[in-house]
Amino acid sequence: MKIAMVGSGYVGLVSGACLADFGHEVCCIDKDQSKIDRLHEGVMPIFEPGLAELVEANVKAGRLNFTSSLAEGIDGADAIFIAVGTPSRRGDGHADLSYVYAVAEEIGQHLANDAVVVTKSTVPVGTGDEVERILAASGTGHRFSVVSNPEFLREGAAIGDFKRPDRIVIGAEDDFGREVMREVYRPLYLNESPILFVNRRTSELIKYAANAFLATKITFINEMADLCEKVGANVQDVSRGIGMDNRIGAKFLNAGPGYGGSCFPKDTLALLKTAEDFDSPTRIIEAVVKANDGRKRAMGRKVIEALGGFDNARGKKVALLGLTFKPDTDDMRDSPSIAVAQTLTDGGVEVVAYDPEGMDSARPLMPEVTMAGDPYSAIDGADAVVIVTEWDAFRALDLDRVKQLLNAPVLVDLRNIYRPEDVRARGFDYFSIGRP
Ligand code: NAD
């Protein structure tokens, strides 16, 4: 089967490489020529574990190629995926669909055979209808069907998630769409991955409902963590205690600095906007968005408290370990570290940071922060060290060396990766989330 993937970012490139690995012939398209040039040279434009090897193997096998020409890339494709960005629109928080619609226009101009056009980007309810209208208006003489197939992969574990998904959701309005999608995912079908066929609008909403629910779970446990701090309870034990209930489930109950990343913040906002447009308030999500926004700067203030309050903190130096919104990615979009760093520099605190993969993307987002070459040079001479992202490299720091390098033995662990008693036994002033 021939597949075109328009947009070769975190989702498009991973999906394209995995579909090629299933045995399909895949062309990944991107309008960013430098991305395509790098891919031709075997250099990955993003950091995702296992991706370079997967791409290389499938290019060698002749199943995966790259182009910046949409006309060339979609030629002969049975399925054309749209996997371009849908960021928050400035001003109102709605999803910016201009990239999706621009691709639909271009497909309409160049479609040279019957094909199914699949929206993999996260798009609000009704976007598929508009894509269909654009294609119909283009006057293409070829048969087409517009399908919604949202993506649920997680950065950092994207390949495993794509190849062994909890479920595949397909929103199709006709048999042509359903049949082609069945063929696309046949290898997974044989694996017994559940495939859920629904109508297109339902499929579009499922993606937002899933992300909003997960964001709610995180925000819920974060608020429980705040309460734990006030009442002397331990949020990790609360998580365990509630998570063992199958109706609740143990995942997404780790208290931390608030959710970030390229999906939850923008998708919760876009869902709020859809709910408003359809006059169907979603008050829970409103509360989640508000609580999470406030939390990120509150984490900066927590660090300032650990330094002895605003007056004492001014002129001090803090080492931030981890900048990306989660480990095993270089993605800095809406990372909590941005607000933490901003709160600290606003308070006159000097910030030095280290992240294993995210520093290049972080630099323009936090120009006042100095980047260090490794965790220990960031810590050297600092008045406190703050763990913002739980990269494995920070789970086994040489604490004696850390203490020696610090001006004062202050450790703020925003991911609860250390055990309070261990760290305190080594003489640290230790602050974590929701634990006595
Ligand atoms: P991204 O920014 O990494 O990639 C988008 C790519 O599309 C870019 O390389 C850009 O150059 C390209 N592009 C834009 N317009 C184009 C055009 N007209 N023709 C060709 N290429 C074009 O974005 P992403 O993180 O891969 O997200 C893509 C979509 O998938 C979004 O809707 C997002 O919400 C959704 N999604 C993302 C994730 C994730 O973890 N990143 C997970 C699930 C769903």
Side-chain angles (χ1 to χ4, degrees), residues 80-97:
I80 305 168
F81 284 80
I82 303 178
V84 297
T86 48
S88 271
R89 197 162 64 187
R90 260 171 209 279
D92 66 358
H94 219 318
D96 178 354
L97 295 170

Side-chain angles (χ1 to χ4, degrees), residues 151-196:
E151 184 50 58
F152 298 96
L153 62 76
R154 295 162 301 166
E155 288 173 20
I159 293 169
D161 285 350
F162 194 92
K163 290 188 162 185
R164 289 174 295 282
D166 292 336
R167 79 305 204 186
I168 297 155
V169 173
I170 292 170
E173 298 292 324
D174 54 42
D175 287 341
F176 178 38
R178 276 186 286 271
E179 283 317 308
V180 167
M181 293 310 285
R182 230 179 237 121
E183 215 38 57
V184 167
Y185 285 110
R186 186 165 300 282
L188 291 182
Y189 205 59
L190 298 173
N191 260 351
E192 296 187 352
S193 293
I195 301 194
L196 188 62

Side-chain angles (χ1 to χ4, degrees), residues 20 25-29 40 58-59 62-67 72-73:
E25 193 185 320
V26 179
C27 184
C28 285
I29 303 159
H40 279 139
N58 284 283
V59 168
R63 290 189 297 260
L64 180 61
N65 61 63
F66 312 101
T67 180
E72 184 189 307

Side-chain angles (χ1 to χ4, degrees), residues 122 153 155 207 211 260-268 325 333:
T122 302
L153 62 76
E155 288 173 20
K207 174 65 190 174
N211 276 359
S262 63
C263 293
F264 289 178
K266 79 170 174 64
D267 292 348
T268 42
F325 80 99
R333 288 176 281 187

Side-chain angles (χ1 to χ4, degrees), residues 98-372:
S98 57
Y99 302 97
V100 172
Y101 293 150
V103 171
E105 297 270 0
E106 224 186 318
I107 294 173
Q109 286 158 20
H110 297 289
L111 196 62
N113 49 275
D114 295 352
V116 170
V117 175
V118 190
T119 314
K120 192 162 255 324
S121 300
T122 302
V123 294
V125 172
T127 305
D129 302 356
E130 182 61 13
V131 170
E132 187 172 275
R133 197 198 57 72
I134 292 170
L135 290 171
S138 74
T140 174
H142 299 283
R143 182 163 69 127
F144 68 86
S145 171
V146 176
V147 167
S148 158
N149 170 221
E151 184 50 58
F152 298 96
L153 62 76
R154 295 162 301 166
E155 288 173 20
I159 293 169
D161 285 350
F162 194 92
K163 290 188 162 185
R164 289 174 295 282
D166 292 336
R167 79 305 204 186
I168 297 155
V169 173
I170 292 170
E173 298 292 324
D174 54 42
D175 287 341
F176 178 38
R178 276 186 286 271
E179 283 317 308
V180 167
M181 293 310 285
R182 230 179 237 121
E183 215 38 57
V184 167
Y185 285 110
R186 186 165 300 282
L188 291 182
Y189 205 59
L190 298 173
N191 260 351
E192 296 187 352
S193 293
I195 301 194
L196 188 62
F197 284 97
V198 295
N199 73 33
R200 203 165 54 203
R201 289 186 157 229
T202 305
S203 168
E204 289 168 338
L205 188 56
I206 285 172
K207 174 65 190 174
Y208 282 100
N211 276 359
F213 193 86
L214 293 172
T216 303
K217 228 178 154 184
I218 294 174
T219 308
F220 176 84
I221 203 66
N222 283 341
E223 291 202 324
M224 284 300 123
D226 290 348
L227 185 56
C228 283
E229 287 180 17
K230 299 269 164 61
V231 302
N234 181 325
V235 74
Q236 275 179 322
D237 293 337
V238 171
S239 294
R240 245 175 261 135
I242 64 173
M244 284 174 183
D245 184 329
N246 285 334
R247 294 168 302 176
I248 295 173
K251 292 184 179 159
F252 271 73
L253 287 179
N254 293 320
Y259 61 77
S262 63
C263 293
F264 289 178
K266 79 170 174 64
D267 292 348
T268 42
L269 280 183
L271 182 55
L272 280 184
K273 195 70 197 151
T274 301
E276 196 184 305
D277 289 350
F278 287 87
D279 195 18
S280 179
T282 45
R283 294 183 197 90
I284 293 174
I285 303 161
E286 270 171 38
V288 165
V289 168
K290 210 166 156 200
N292 193 68
D293 278 350
R295 185 167 189 83
K296 296 183 191 175
R297 282 188 82 88
M299 291 299 112
R301 290 197 297 277
K302 188 179 177 85
V303 177
I304 285 179
E305 290 283 298
L307 291 169
F310 276 96
D311 289 343
N312 283 320
R314 188 165 291 282
K316 291 212 167 132
K317 182 169 146 186
V318 162
L320 293 189
L321 298 188
L323 296 173
T324 51
F325 80 99
K326 66 170 172 179
D328 294 323
T329 181
D330 58 352
D331 201 338
M332 278 297 299
R333 288 176 281 187
D334 266 318
S335 176
S337 68
I338 301 169
V340 172
Q342 188 69 54
T343 310
L344 291 172
T345 51
D346 285 352
V349 177
E350 182 189 346
V351 181
V352 183
Y354 169 75
D355 187 279
E357 295 291 340
M359 292 194 294
D360 286 345
S361 338
R363 264 187 202 97
L365 299 171
M366 34 181 84
E368 292 176 68
V369 173
T370 310
M371 301 294 165

Side-chain angles (χ1 to χ4, degrees), residues 390-426:
E390 69 279 31
W391 284 89
D392 277 344
F394 306 143
R395 291 179 186 274
L397 290 170
D398 176 346
L399 289 178
D400 293 331
R401 188 172 165 203
V402 170
K403 196 172 160 210
Q404 223 170 23
L405 289 170
L406 281 169
N407 272 343
V410 178
L411 174 53
V412 185
D413 178 1
L414 300 181
R415 298 289 182 170
N416 288 351
I417 61 177
Y418 283 96
R419 282 156 53 104
E421 53 277 25
D422 293 352
V423 189
R424 288 191 183 123
R426 285 166 188 265

